[in-house]
Amino acid sequence: MTMLRQATKVGLPFMNLVRFKGLPILEQLHLEEKLLRTSSDNWCIVNDGTNAPAIVMGISGKPSELIEIGPVLRDHVPVIKRFSGGGTVIVDSGTIFVTLICNKDVVPGVQPYPRSIMSWSGLLYSEVFQGIDGFQLRENDYVFGDHKFGGNAQSIIKSRWIHHTSFLWDYDSRNMAYLKLPARAPKYRSARNHAEFVCRMKEYMPRSIFIERTMKALESHFSVKPVNLDAVVGSHSSGYVHSTRLLSKHELKDAVTTLLESRALSG
Amino acid sequence: MALRMWASSTANALRISVASKARLSPYSFSRCFSAVIDGLKYATSHEWVKHEGSVATIGITDHAQDHLGEVVFVDLPEVGTSATQGKSFGAVESVKATSDINSPISGEIVEVNSKLSESPGAINSSPYEEGWMIKVKPSNPSELESLLGPKEYTKFCEEEDAAH
């Protein structure tokens, strides 16, 4: 069996696997951005829950349009702007993160463009959720039926790309109240609020089974190699300037002021 | 085939070339034809450059905008900063992805298309005109010779899409 497994892996590209549990999401995003831009290897990063709730916006996100700034400031919820595209999520210990960083020609037939990458990732996760009714990639979200349980985003550079996903294995409904209904939303959302739009993956699959099945699906495309965490952090730690950052309270307060001023002018 | 012949004769009349796809992979979503303009130079990372006198205008090609999808946000540099051939000078966001834009030539950035902050979709609707991104004062005009001409770029696009 071992020899057969080795033989079937011949010819598959290597992918380094790094697993965390409870890594702060800002640290995860910093690591991802650094590996995307400074490494030439393929990587899979799995973070089984982050240590504390945080709001994470995409590169073009405007706080005044996407989050309820008053309650966020009152409750000291960190707000992060990440380097990739896509929308706004609130993540916590119930969120499972899976990130894939690939060289552009590593997956046959996949071009370094958003829809091509996402089409392939949709097929990958179809293997993970095989047998579960209703799973699909729907208007760029991972859903069961018409309920979203996984949000993803990407960043594409000259010869590499990253596809990262936050899976809602579980979530605190009260946290969804920090998020506004976004102006740019998929059609299938049909103006539903967060509680009616999202669902919990734990109602469909145990946490450990999801991670195990994701690893198995990856192994049909890559020769996956667990990597020492200290080696990853150490070798990619110096000199890199991230664009992913924590927004300051001052920036959030300014966003509120600007919004109120523009309403006063138009009102 | 008839559509391809019509497109080709129309393109000849308009002095543009078209790149056509040999076949589509399961992960390819582009329409069959992308416009390639005569008189411009092209990078293999799908940016174009128009050199006029002491200034070169840069944007992304019709092939690129078609593959990227609807552009919803553009991140451009400040005037006065420098661009380096082959390196990123900014990014666009489309379909939940940021995509780096790489400069075909090196030089000082002397103008930035500020209209794109309000109208990023101009990159899709008019990639060679309203969708221009930066203007550069070339520091090494010989870099233009390393870029592709329209016919070479058309062939490059066809081969790239056929390989996927």
Side-chain angles (χ1 to χ4, degrees):
Chain A
M1 180 63 82
T2 303
M3 282 180 67
L4 179 62
R5 196 153 175 257
Q6 291 293 333
T8 57
K9 284 190 178 178
V10 169
L12 291 179
F14 282 113
M15 177 171 271
N16 298 324
L17 170 65
V18 183
R19 292 184 66 160
F20 298 101
K21 188 171 176 62
L23 184 72
I25 184 59
L26 184 62
E27 278 186 48
Q28 177 190 328
L29 290 168
H30 278 172
L31 174 64
E32 290 178 2
E33 190 177 354
K34 205 179 303 177
L35 289 176
L36 174 67
R37 290 204 176 264
T38 66
S39 169
S40 54
D41 289 348
N42 303 307
W43 295 86
C44 173
I45 297 161
V46 177
N47 187 14
D48 190 2
T50 189
N51 65 325
I55 292 168
V56 185
M57 299 192 305
I59 189 172
S60 61
K62 291 180 182 166
S64 59
E65 294 175 7
L66 296 165
I67 62 176
E68 299 289 355
I69 298 180
V72 165
L73 285 169
R74 178 195 68 209
D75 298 340
H76 309 288
V77 183
V79 180
I80 295 164
K81 187 172 271 200
R82 65 177 184 264
F83 64 98
S84 55
T88 305
V89 292
I90 180 156
V91 298
D92 58 23
S93 58
T95 312
I96 304 175
F97 302 90
V98 179
T99 296
L100 301 171
I101 302 173
C102 291
N103 290 310
K104 71 170 183 156
D105 293 323
V106 79
V107 183
V110 175
Q111 289 192 309
Y113 293 108
R115 289 172 295 195
S116 184
I117 295 165
M118 220 178 293
S119 175
W120 173 76
S121 72
L123 291 178
L124 181 82
Y125 285 113
S126 292
E127 293 174 43
V128 175
F129 296 107
Q130 196 168 30
I132 297 181
D133 270 345
F135 170 76
Q136 62 172 305
L137 175 69
R138 186 169 183 180
E139 293 184 61
N140 309 318
D141 292 336
Y142 297 122
V143 304
F144 294 122
D146 59 359
H147 290 93
K148 178 178 175 179
F149 72 95
N152 62 70
Q154 303 172 110
S155 184
I156 303 165
I157 64 174
K158 202 168 181 183
S159 56
R160 287 163 69 71
W161 51 260
I162 183 171
H163 175 86
H164 54 191
T165 307
S166 54
F167 289 99
L168 294 174
W169 189 78
D170 194 5
Y171 61 84
D172 187 337
S173 302
R174 293 170 296 180
N175 285 344
M176 294 297 168
Y178 292 119
L179 304 182
K180 290 185 175 177
L181 199 64
R184 222 163 44 221
K187 289 189 189 122
Y188 81 94
R189 180 164 184 163
S190 303
R192 287 177 285 164
N193 65 31
H194 282 91
E196 292 166 343
F197 176 51
V198 297
C199 68
R200 294 173 171 84
M201 198 167 75
K202 70 177 186 181
E203 292 165 19
Y204 297 85
M205 187 178 278
R207 199 160 179 152
S208 58
I209 298 293
F210 165 69
I211 293 176
E212 193 183 299
R213 290 181 82 167
T214 300
M215 296 299 102
K216 193 175 172 194
L218 271 181
E219 282 168 3
S220 63
H221 298 271
F222 300 94
S223 179
V224 179
K225 183 177 66 170
V227 168
N228 180 272
L229 304 181
D230 291 335
V232 172
V233 171
S235 65
H236 295 89
S237 61
S238 59
Y240 183 74
V241 179
H242 305 98
S243 61
T244 297
R245 61 189 188 85
L246 185 65
L247 299 189
S248 67
K249 283 183 185 166
H250 186 69
E251 283 177 283
L252 293 174
K253 286 177 183 170
D254 275 354
V256 176
T257 306
T258 306
L259 178 66
L260 293 172
E261 284 173 357
S262 69
R263 279 183 184 164
L265 284 170
S266 62
Chain B
M1 176 62 84
L3 178 62
R4 185 174 171 174
M5 286 171 68
W6 171 83
S8 186
S9 65
T10 303
N12 285 337
L14 295 171
R15 296 177 64 81
I16 59 176
S17 322
V18 290
S20 60
K21 307 290 184 291
R23 60 181 168 82
L24 297 176
S25 83
Y27 312 116
S28 174
F29 291 90
S30 300
R31 59 186 167 86
C32 288
F33 305 105
S34 299
V36 178
I37 305 293
D38 284 343
L40 305 184
K41 297 288 262 184
Y42 298 87
T44 54
S45 49
H46 302 289
E47 294 84 13
W48 57 265
V49 57
K50 185 177 183 181
H51 190 203
E52 296 173 299
S54 61
V55 171
T57 307
I58 292 165
I60 65 168
T61 65
D62 186 42
H63 177 97
Q65 70 77 21
D66 181 56
H67 281 64
L68 285 170
E70 184 193 355
V71 176
V72 297
F73 175 77
V74 185
D75 184 22
L76 292 176
E78 301 282 331
V79 169
T81 54
S82 54
T84 304
Q85 186 182 43
K87 304 282 185 200
S88 169
F89 66 80
V92 295
E93 183 183 359
S94 64
V95 198
K96 301 169 80 171
T98 54
S99 298
D100 272 4
I101 308 299
N102 302 294
S103 187
I105 58 170
S106 308
E108 184 192 350
I109 296 168
V110 296
E111 195 176 342
V112 170
N113 188 352
S114 56
K115 289 183 183 171
L116 292 180
S117 61
E118 291 301 315
S119 305
I123 290 173
N124 298 116
S125 58
S126 181
Y128 298 109
E129 290 173 2
E130 309 300 321
W132 70 271
M133 293 182 169
I134 60 172
K135 296 192 182 195
V136 169
K137 193 172 161 188
S139 57
N140 184 2
S142 67
E143 285 177 338
L144 287 158
E145 292 162 28
S146 66
L147 301 176
L148 304 177
K151 285 183 184 166
E152 294 165 303
Y153 178 65
T154 300
K155 189 174 173 214
F156 174 79
C157 290
E158 288 174 349
E159 288 173 354
E160 189 177 73
D161 282 337
H164 294 90

